[in-house]
Amino acid sequence: MDPGPGAGAGDQNPYGLAIATATAGLEVKGDLLVCNFNDAKNVQGAGTTIVQLSPTPGSTPTRFAQSSSFAGCDAIAMAPNGNLWLADYTANNDPIVAPAGTINTTLAQNTWYGPWGEAFNTGTASMPTFFETNAKNGTVTRIHIAPGPTFSFDTLLSGLSYNNGMPGNILAPAGLTYDKATDSLYVVDSNANRVLKIAQATTAPASSYATSAMGFTSPNVSVVYSGAPLSAPISSALLANGHLVVGNTGDNNLVEIDPALGSIVSTKLVDTGAAGAIFGIATTTATDGTQYVYFNNDNTNTVVRLSP
């Protein structure tokens, strides 16, 4: 919950979650950055704040940034230089926020359709790229970054299912996770209860992937897993072993998937309360090899850390 002061104080319902990649400005490498989807009155999609906290149990959040341009922030992805890229459903933009908490640009000049997911192609410096999903038209947008910087936008994948849900009940392509080892982008296809893989995500020609009555128009798109135990999944992250951890909003289970085999490895119930607890997920591996999974719990307005 945002501690204030001023506008945005008391914002709640954390959606976006990322781990700081560098120590710069206000950021400390390894700290957690969280954006709040709701305001203090719990109005869905009215939150305007980003908070920061240490990745240790009992940490107290501090205000990182606040702006009406962040309204309805639901996903955060980090660039190697510490810039945050936000997907803002209500503001309908894709801001870039510097480590100092200032806005470089809102990228409002591009036409968005309810930004709903965000990922960066970490480790592909020759063509730095962000990916973003749109909840109101079922597409995945790709944003290439050229020197300047200048940005070019294209539709990478189109035709995915979406439910036109109001904030709090949105099911659409979300949960983007990028695997730099294979230039693959994983997409949580929430309304279809499945996870997709897009191969050659950075380099494929624009608009090269779409759905059709027979499936996908490119062999580079595949279904990693579909059906139970996935239940209205909305978030995902990559584990050190190459597996995906996917968060269900339908039943509050975390689901581990082996994408190479297309099989379920395990499930874990992380909240026995009302459905819709799990949103943003982030993972990291400690120097001793311990794998940590962080997730936002919207039932308790907390960030939870799981470890073996």
Side-chain angles (χ1 to χ4, degrees):
M1 190 174 293
D2 180 83
D11 279 2
Q12 56 188 302
N13 218 30
Y15 270 31
L17 174 63
I19 299 174
T21 54
T23 296
L26 300 174
E27 297 175 13
V28 176
K29 186 176 181 179
D31 274 5
L32 305 173
L33 282 303
V34 182
C35 62
N36 292 299
F37 192 67
N38 293 8
D39 65 10
K41 296 180 180 179
N42 212 28
V43 176
Q44 294 276 354
T48 60
T49 54
I50 304 168
V51 298
Q52 179 176 352
L53 67 159
S54 170
T56 54
S59 298
T60 300
T62 59
R63 167 78 63 83
F64 178 79
Q66 186 278 329
S67 172
S68 59
S69 296
F70 304 156
C73 175
D74 51 72
I76 304 175
M78 299 287 300
N81 63 0
N83 282 347
L84 286 71
W85 283 57
L86 311 181
D88 296 334
Y89 180 83
T90 304
N92 203 46
N93 59 17
D94 213 68
I96 304 171
V97 182
T102 55
I103 299 174
N104 291 338
T105 175
T106 61
L107 284 188
Q109 74 275 13
N110 194 64
T111 301
W112 305 106
Y113 300 90
W116 197 236
E118 194 88 52
F120 179 68
N121 69 339
T122 51
T124 312
S126 61
M127 190 180 291
T129 304
F130 275 84
F131 304 96
E132 178 265 352
T133 68
N134 292 287
K136 295 182 178 180
N137 70 353
T139 60
V140 179
T141 297
R142 181 174 57 188
I143 308 106
H144 285 313
I145 310 168
T150 59
F151 308 99
S152 60
F153 306 83
D154 58 63
T155 299
L156 182 61
L157 177 62
S158 61
L160 298 180
S161 173
Y162 56 101
N163 70 348
N164 284 313
M166 297 296 292
N169 187 36
I170 296 170
L171 294 177
L176 295 182
T177 297
Y178 181 78
D179 183 358
K180 68 180 180 180
T182 58
D183 190 27
S184 297
L185 182 70
Y186 294 101
V187 183
V188 176
D189 195 8
S190 304
N191 203 40
N193 279 322
R194 62 182 181 177
V195 177
L196 308 177
K197 175 184 175 181
I198 304 175
Q200 300 175 13
T202 300
T203 59
S207 302
S208 56
Y209 307 133
T211 62
S212 68
M214 300 300 293
F216 298 102
T217 59
S218 168
N220 285 352
V221 182
S222 59
V223 177
V224 173
Y225 190 85
S226 180
L230 296 180
S231 176
I234 204 169
S235 52
S236 68
L238 195 66
L239 297 170
N241 61 4
H243 294 177
L244 290 170
V245 56
V246 178
N248 285 343
T249 60
D251 60 12
N252 301 336
N253 271 286
L254 291 176
V255 181
E256 183 179 350
I257 300 173
D258 182 344
L261 299 178
S263 60
I264 301 298
V265 176
S266 65
T267 62
K268 182 176 181 62
L269 181 65
V270 294
D271 191 295
T272 58
I278 306 173
F279 277 85
I281 301 176
T283 59
T284 188
T285 304
T287 54
D288 64 0
T290 302
Q291 174 79 76
Y292 292 110
V293 176
Y294 299 91
F295 69 90
N296 291 335
N297 187 326
D298 283 12
N299 282 350
T300 57
N301 281 304
T302 58
V303 180
V304 180
R305 188 179 81 176
L306 298 178
S307 58

